[in-house]
Amino acid sequence: MTEELLVELRHIHKVFTTRHLFPVDEDTRKRRFFKRRNVSAADDVTFGIQRGEIFGLLGPNGAGKTTMVKMISGLVRPDKGQALVDGLDVDKKRKQVLRRVGVVLEGTRTSIWPLTPLENLVYYGMLKDVRGPILKQRAHDLLDFIGLKDKKNVQVRRLSRGQKQKLAICIALIADPQVLLLDEPTTGLDVQSSRAIKDKVMEMTRHQGRSVLVTTHDMHVAQELCDRIGIINHGRLVACKRTEELLDVFSEQIFVFKVERPPAPEAFMELPGVVRTEVEEGLDGPALVAHLTPELEPRSAALYGLTRKLEQDGYQLRAITQRQQNLESIFLRLTASDQPSE
Amino acid sequence: MSFLLVMKAEIVRSFIIMRRYWFRTLTGMVIGYGMLMVLIAGFIYSRPGIEEGLSRFDDPTAATNFVLGFIIGMYAFGVVGMFTQGLQGMAATGVLEQLCMSPHGLAVNFLAQTVVGSVASVLSSGIMVFAVTWSVGGMLHWDTIPILVLLTLTFFNLVGFGFMVGGLVLVFKQVGQMAILLRMGLFALAVFAREEILNQPWPLAFILHMLPITDATICLKYVLIKNQMTTITAVNGEPIEVFRSVFLYPSFYWLIASCVLWTVIGLVVFRFMEDYSRSKGTLGSY
C-alpha cells in the first residue's frame, strides 16, 4: 500500500506560537502586557495521496490546510512526524522533493507582473533547473494546454484574475512535477474561470497521471473534483474517505415535517430509525426536522412512525419534504462538533 | 553550474524589465546624476559662510574623494538593500515563496539576484563617478586589475553583511526597518572613510576595520584618487611620492579579513535563520 502512495504525511504535529504585546484579555477586557498563544495547525495528521489521485483537503479558514501544503513543499517544518514525497523525506531530501512537486500558493501573486506569461515560465523554469529547447517547448505547450496561448506575450499585470491563476498553475507545472499542490485554486474566480481550472486539473490528473492535492473550503469544488476528501478542523483530520463513501456514510435521510405549531423534538427521538430531531422556524411556520437512518426498511418505518405520532399528538401536518444531503452539511456537522481544546 | 543557470535567469529577467521600462531606467540614471551634481554644487556654492566646507570642496581632489565615497556608499546601500527591502518586497508579492521552493535553494537564488543587480549598479555608478568627477574638475586613475579585485572583495563583503541582515529579516520581519538605519550608517561610513579615521584607540580601530565598507572604501580611494602613490620621507628628509601597489597596502589585508569574516558570518546566519524560519512557518511570508 505504501508503495502506491506518492505523498504521505505520517503523524504530523505542528503548533504555531503567536506573541502579542499589550493585548486585551478576552475574559476581563483588561489590557495585559504580553500574551502568548499556541495554535495547533496539525494534530497527529496522517494521510496519503496515491498516484493519479485528486485528494481534497477541506476545512474552514485557519483549519491548517495551507500548513499541510507548505509542509509537503518544505516551506514549513513539522514539530513531529514525517512528510514524504515519492518515498523521500521532505525535510532531509528537500532538493529532490522540490523537483517532484509543483505548488500554487495564492496563485495570482506568484507570477512577476512586468513579465509576460511566456517570460514568467522561462524564468521560473530556469530556477527549477529546466533548460534549453525543452524549457521553451514546455512553456508553449503549457500555455496552449491551459488556454493562454493568445496571451503569451501580454504582460501579466494586464491579465484577468482567472488568467493569472491559470498562469500560476503553469508555473507550478513547468518542471513537470509528479505532485501538484493547489491551495484554494478557485477562490475569488468567476464561474467560467473556476470551471476551466477544475477541468484542467481533472485532465492533468486523469491523462497525465499526476497526483493533486487541492485545499478548498468550497464544497462544490471538492465534490466535483476529488477522488478522496480529508476534512480538517483545528489541525485535526476529522474524516478521510473516498468522496462517495463520505457522502454515503453520512447520508442520513433528512425529512422536514411542516406543522402549524412547534413540536417538542425529544418526543420523537425514541422512535426506531430516528437518529435525531430538531425544530426549525421557517418563514412559512415551524417544522420538525428528522434525521433518519440511511437503511431503507428502518427509514420507512421511522417515516410512518413520525407521521403517526404527529397526528396522535394533535399536530396538523401541512407538508413532508426530503432535504438533500451534500458535502456541505457533512462538513458543517463535522467541524461544528470538533471544537478546539484549550 | 546551478548558480550560473539561476544567474542567467536573473540576467534575462532584469534585462527584460530594464528594456520594458526603459524610460524609468533612463530617468533613474539622469536623476541620479542630477542629484549628485546638485549636491556637489550645493556644497561648493551654497555655503559661503563656512570656510572649512569651501576649502575642502574648492579642491577638486577633495570633491572627487567625496563623490567617490558617495557612490561607494550608494553601492553599499543598494547591495544590502537587495537583501532587506528586496526580501520584503518579494515576500509581499508572493515571489519569495516560489524562490524558497526552487531546488537551488534561497541562498543561491539571492546571491544570483544580487550579483545581477550589482552589475547594473556598478555600471551606472561607474558612469556617474566619471561624469560627476569630470564635472567638478577632478580626476580618477583607472587601474583595471586592482579595481576589479577590490570591487569583488567589496561585493562579497557587502553580500556577507547583506546575508546576515537578510537572514534576520526572514525571521524578525521588523528588522527591515532597522536595516535602513544600518544601510545609512554604511553609506555615511563610505562617504567619510579615509585613512585618518583609523587613527583611533585599538578597539575602536579594530571595529572600524571589521565594518564591511571602511577598508574597501579606503582601498578604492587609494587606487582611484591617489593613483596608488604614497608619501615617504627621502634620505634628505623631504617627503616624496612613490608608487606602492594597493596589494601591499595594509587596508587591503584588513579588507580580505573582513571579507572572509562577513561572508562566513552572513552565510551561517542566513542558513540558520532560513531553517529557523521554516520551523516557525514564516518563510516566504511577510
Side-chain angles (χ1 to χ4, degrees), chain B residues 22 55 96 116 248 263 279:
Chain B
W22 61 270
S55 63
L96 188 60
V116 174
L248 301 172
T263 307
S279 299

Side-chain angles (χ1 to χ4, degrees), chain B residues 26 34 46 54 58 77 79 102 108 129 133 145 157 159 167 205 221:
Chain B
L26 208 65
S46 306
L54 268 177
D58 276 349
F77 193 82
V79 170
S102 153
V108 169
V129 168
T133 45
I145 292 173
N157 222 339
V159 163
K221 284 179 177 175

Side-chain angles (χ1 to χ4, degrees), chain A residues 73-90:
Chain A
S73 55
L75 281 175
V76 172
R77 173 179 295 143
D79 295 337
K80 267 196 267 176
Q82 204 180 20
L84 302 166
V85 173
D86 202 11
L88 298 165
D89 189 315
V90 175

Side-chain angles (χ1 to χ4, degrees), chain B residues 14 21 43 56 59 70 80 120 128 133 150 167 178 198 221 228 238 248 258 260 262 284:
Chain B
S14 303
Y21 295 92
F43 268 109
R56 182 190 295 176
D59 172 13
F70 192 88
V80 178
M128 281 199 282
T133 45
L150 291 175
M178 290 284 292
L198 296 171
K221 284 179 177 175
Q228 301 180 73
E238 295 233 341
L248 301 172
S258 75
V260 171
W262 284 112

Side-chain angles (χ1 to χ4, degrees), chain B residues 12-172:
Chain B
V12 171
R13 183 183 68 92
S14 303
F15 181 71
I16 290 170
I17 292 175
M18 273 174 73
R19 192 194 57 196
R20 192 153 291 153
Y21 295 92
W22 61 270
F23 188 72
R24 192 180 70 180
T25 309
L26 208 65
T27 47
M29 289 184 75
V30 171
I31 289 170
Y33 174 72
M35 272 172 60
L36 271 172
M37 283 303 296
V38 168
L39 198 77
I40 303 302
F43 268 109
I44 295 173
Y45 301 111
S46 306
R47 300 172 64 193
I50 306 170
E51 278 186 23
E52 193 195 350
L54 268 177
S55 63
R56 182 190 295 176
F57 290 105
D58 276 349
D59 172 13
T61 308
T64 308
N65 202 317
F66 173 77
V67 171
L68 189 59
F70 192 88
I71 305 278
I72 296 170
M74 270 173 53
Y75 175 66
F77 193 82
V79 170
V80 178
M82 281 180 217
F83 285 89
T84 54
Q85 267 57 36
L87 261 171
Q88 288 177 343
M90 285 197 290
T93 56
V95 173
L96 188 60
E97 279 171 335
Q98 290 296 323
L99 293 187
C100 293
M101 288 183 287
S102 153
H104 303 293
L106 188 58
V108 169
N109 282 303
F110 241 79
L111 189 61
Q113 279 205 359
T114 317
V115 170
V116 174
S118 297
V119 169
S121 173
V122 165
L123 283 176
S124 55
S125 299
I127 293 167
M128 281 199 282
V129 168
F130 272 102
V132 177
T133 45
W134 175 78
S135 305
V136 297
M139 257 194 82
L140 289 177
H141 305 278
W142 187 264
D143 193 350
T144 309
I145 292 173
I147 286 171
L148 283 181
V149 171
L150 291 175
L151 281 178
T152 309
L153 287 172
T154 309
F155 174 73
F156 280 106
N157 222 339
L158 292 169
V159 163
F161 186 75
F163 263 122
M164 185 194 72
V165 183
L168 292 171
V169 171
L170 279 179
V171 178
F172 310 106

Side-chain angles (χ1 to χ4, degrees), chain A residues 5-258:
Chain A
L5 295 175
L6 202 52
V7 177
E8 206 181 346
L9 296 185
R10 291 180 185 163
H11 305 289
I12 295 280
H13 290 258
K14 184 75 202 173
V15 174
F16 290 120
T17 304
T18 54
R19 295 173 183 87
H20 304 274
L21 263 182
F22 309 117
V24 176
D25 193 295
E26 281 168 18
D27 300 327
T28 60
R29 306 303 302 161
K30 283 183 182 167
R31 199 169 281 282
R32 289 170 60 176
F33 176 67
F34 181 77
K35 193 175 177 187
R36 196 180 142 124
R37 200 168 147 246
N38 288 334
V39 180
S40 174
D43 184 3
D44 198 18
V45 174
T46 299
F47 69 85
I49 308 171
Q50 292 168 2
R51 281 182 200 277
E53 181 184 44
I54 305 179
F55 185 89
L57 207 50
L58 263 175
N61 291 332
K65 304 183 297 290
T66 302
T67 304
M68 298 297 157
V69 170
K70 287 187 173 184
M71 280 197 265
I72 298 168
S73 55
L75 281 175
V76 172
R77 173 179 295 143
D79 295 337
K80 267 196 267 176
Q82 204 180 20
L84 302 166
V85 173
D86 202 11
L88 298 165
D89 189 315
V90 175
D91 202 31
K92 291 176 184 147
K93 306 269 181 193
R94 204 167 51 244
K95 276 189 178 179
Q96 287 97 314
V97 167
L98 288 171
R99 289 180 209 280
R100 290 164 166 80
V101 175
V103 190
V104 179
L105 289 167
E106 298 194 53
T108 53
R109 293 306 310 238
T110 301
S111 44
I112 299 168
W113 287 16
L115 303 185
T116 65
L118 187 61
E119 289 161 353
N120 262 287
L121 288 178
V122 170
Y123 171 72
Y124 279 116
M126 283 199 263
L127 291 192
K128 291 180 180 182
D129 238 355
V130 189
R131 56 189 93 186
I134 296 173
L135 173 58
K136 292 219 171 110
Q137 187 58 48
R138 199 179 284 167
H140 281 103
D141 290 349
L142 279 170
L143 290 171
D144 194 15
F145 165 73
I146 211 88
L148 284 178
K149 197 177 179 181
D150 55 335
K151 302 281 180 191
K152 67 180 179 186
N153 293 321
V154 177
Q155 278 184 56
V156 173
R157 65 191 174 93
R158 297 187 201 282
L159 299 182
S160 71
R161 197 183 162 92
Q163 288 165 334
K164 283 175 189 147
Q165 186 69 332
K166 285 179 180 174
L167 175 62
I169 293 175
C170 289
I171 289 172
L173 289 172
I174 191 69
D176 196 20
Q178 298 165 32
V179 179
L180 184 63
L181 310 174
L182 302 173
D183 190 19
E184 308 274 3
T186 55
T187 302
L189 298 186
D190 59 35
V191 181
Q192 286 94 335
S193 303
S194 180
R195 177 78 268 155
I197 284 177
K198 280 185 273 188
D199 289 346
K200 292 301 171 191
V201 172
M202 286 276 213
E203 201 178 326
M204 71 180 85
T205 317
R206 306 290 176 246
H207 300 147
Q208 298 169 8
R210 294 177 214 277
S211 299
V212 180
L213 171 69
V214 182
T215 75
T216 182
H217 49 240
D218 186 336
M219 311 301 147
H220 303 293
V221 173
Q223 204 163 343
E224 273 181 62
L225 208 57
C226 302
D227 302 311
R228 278 194 311 137
I229 290 173
I231 296 180
I232 190 167
N233 195 29
H234 302 297
R236 275 197 291 266
L237 197 64
V238 290
C240 183
K241 290 187 182 299
R242 293 198 67 76
T243 311
E244 61 272 21
E245 248 180 275
L246 200 63
L247 285 165
D248 210 33
V249 166
F250 294 93
S251 63
E252 294 169 355
Q253 303 290 309
I254 303 170
F255 287 87
V256 181
F257 298 82
K258 300 243 182 231

